[in-house]
Amino acid sequence: MASDYVQSLKQNKNSKLVDEIIEYLKSELRNNVTVKDVSEKFYFSPNYLNHIFKEKTGKTIPDYLTMLRMEKARELLKERDMKVYQVVEAVGYTRTSYFANLFRKYTGLSPKEYREMICE
């Protein structure tokens, strides 16, 4: 049916857009990226982008960005020569205490505890 075809085209377009947003977020981990920034880059309203993004990924754009940052922080904490504050800056945060709270919420461990656990 024509309506199925149109729906399929829309889904493919949305999937491509979400993939592009994810790539953009990955490239901007160090920067203070907001949904407004993403919406301006892709020329859609913030509400619409967040809606289709959550539909495809199960997470809002800010939640997904936090997940990407926490995953990158986990990788960086494996490098013993990097100080925690350097990891914090590398993943786009300015306050170590805020980062530490998010990291604990995400992993159940402080950055120091996580580093000690993985580097044993």
Side-chain angles (χ1 to χ4, degrees), residues 104-115:
R104 182 179 294 278
K105 189 184 293 186
Y106 188 80
T107 65
L109 302 167
S110 72
K112 183 179 183 227
E113 291 167 339
Y114 181 81
R115 178 174 268 169

Side-chain angles (χ1 to χ4, degrees), residues 29-30 69-96 99 103 111 114-115:
L29 279 183
R30 287 197 92 128
R69 286 178 167 158
M70 293 300 110
E71 290 300 319
K72 182 68 174 177
R74 288 171 63 173
E75 285 176 39
L76 295 175
L77 284 167
K78 291 176 186 174
E79 299 175 27
R80 291 291 245 169
D81 58 331
M82 245 184 132
K83 305 278 186 223
V84 172
Y85 78 87
Q86 292 171 314
V87 172
V88 171
E89 291 171 1
V91 296
Y93 294 104
T94 54
R95 292 187 7 242
T96 303
F99 167 80
F103 192 83
Y114 181 81
R115 178 174 268 169

Side-chain angles (χ1 to χ4, degrees), residues 10-112:
K10 185 178 177 186
Q11 290 298 322
N12 287 340
K13 181 181 145 202
N14 287 349
S15 290
K16 186 176 186 306
L17 178 60
V18 168
D19 290 344
E20 289 174 9
I21 292 169
I22 289 170
E23 288 309 309
Y24 174 71
L25 294 175
K26 286 179 180 178
S27 73
E28 296 292 320
L29 279 183
R30 287 197 92 128
N31 301 317
N32 186 18
V33 180
T34 65
V35 175
K36 184 175 185 262
D37 297 328
V38 177
S39 71
E40 288 172 0
K41 168 124 178 95
F42 292 96
Y43 306 104
F44 289 99
S45 77
N47 287 341
Y48 176 74
L49 277 186
N50 239 343
H51 173 74
I52 64 164
F53 195 87
K54 187 167 185 171
E55 197 173 78
K56 293 288 179 194
T57 66
K59 295 183 181 303
T60 63
I61 292 172
D63 288 345
Y64 198 90
L65 182 58
T66 299
M67 180 195 72
L68 289 175
R69 286 178 167 158
M70 293 300 110
E71 290 300 319
K72 182 68 174 177
R74 288 171 63 173
E75 285 176 39
L76 295 175
L77 284 167
K78 291 176 186 174
E79 299 175 27
R80 291 291 245 169
D81 58 331
M82 245 184 132
K83 305 278 186 223
V84 172
Y85 78 87
Q86 292 171 314
V87 172
V88 171
E89 291 171 1
V91 296
Y93 294 104
T94 54
R95 292 187 7 242
T96 303
S97 59
Y98 179 71
F99 167 80
N101 286 335
L102 278 177
F103 192 83
R104 182 179 294 278
K105 189 184 293 186
Y106 188 80
T107 65
L109 302 167
S110 72
K112 183 179 183 227

